[in-house]
Amino acid sequence: MNTTKYEKYFSTDGFWSKLTKGAKKAGSKVIYTGLLLFYALDSPKTPLKAKVQIYGALGYLILPFDVIPDFLPIIGYVDDFSVLGLALVAVAKSIDDDVKMKAKKKLQDLFGANGVSSRDILDIDGQLLVKKNESLKVELEKK
């Protein structure tokens, strides 16, 4: 499978532009999820199928027009977070400590130290751990 046809819907410049402009409005949960997916793209542990899912989710994040427009207060990023969250669950096995560290470093640049230690970030890390454990259990049962 070649990711080239999916990459056209995502651009690194568009991702960073959207993140830096909308970070505070979107909130640390949306931004951290996006950062995890972004850094998973560069990880050699991320399989090709997962990268295709990530390109789709990040492409949706940077689209100028969403199902729920981002400029709407409170609910503007609900659809973005839903798409990112579904992609994150699908590729959870590819999110290792290196990816988390890079995402948290960038999150700290955007939100400060409090952003990294927020309950939302701990919740996402906990969900990733649960999903990885479930995947390991399934793999062990297959053997």
Side-chain angles (χ1 to χ4, degrees), residues 23-112:
K24 300 289 187 217
K25 192 170 163 185
S28 61
K29 196 170 195 173
V30 172
I31 300 302
Y32 182 57
T33 305
L35 289 168
L36 287 169
L37 293 170
F38 178 79
Y39 289 118
L41 280 175
D42 287 337
S43 174
K45 295 179 183 177
T46 305
L48 196 56
K49 182 179 176 184
K51 288 185 180 191
V52 169
Q53 291 172 303
I54 293 170
Y55 281 124
L58 293 180
Y60 184 82
L61 176 68
I62 65 174
L63 277 175
F65 303 104
D66 291 353
V67 173
I68 302 172
D70 295 340
F71 64 82
L72 292 175
I74 303 170
I75 64 167
Y77 283 92
V78 169
D79 60 326
D80 296 279
F81 181 67
S82 299
V83 170
L84 294 174
L86 288 172
L88 190 63
V89 167
V91 304
K93 290 190 316 188
S94 303
I95 308 295
D96 60 13
D97 289 338
D98 184 51
V99 168
K100 286 184 197 176
M101 183 185 72
K102 289 177 183 176
K104 285 179 180 176
K105 184 179 181 323
K106 189 61 179 176
L107 190 69
Q108 186 169 352
D109 291 346
L110 294 168
F111 288 93

Side-chain angles (χ1 to χ4, degrees), residues 15-24 31 106 110:
F15 174 76
W16 289 118
S17 174
K18 177 82 172 208
L19 235 62
T20 54
K21 288 179 184 173
K24 300 289 187 217
I31 300 302
K106 189 61 179 176
L110 294 168

Side-chain angles (χ1 to χ4, degrees), residues 121-133:
I121 305 312
L122 296 173
D123 286 346
I124 291 170
D125 284 346
Q127 291 170 10
L128 285 172
L129 188 60
V130 167
K131 192 65 181 167
K132 278 186 177 184
N133 286 339

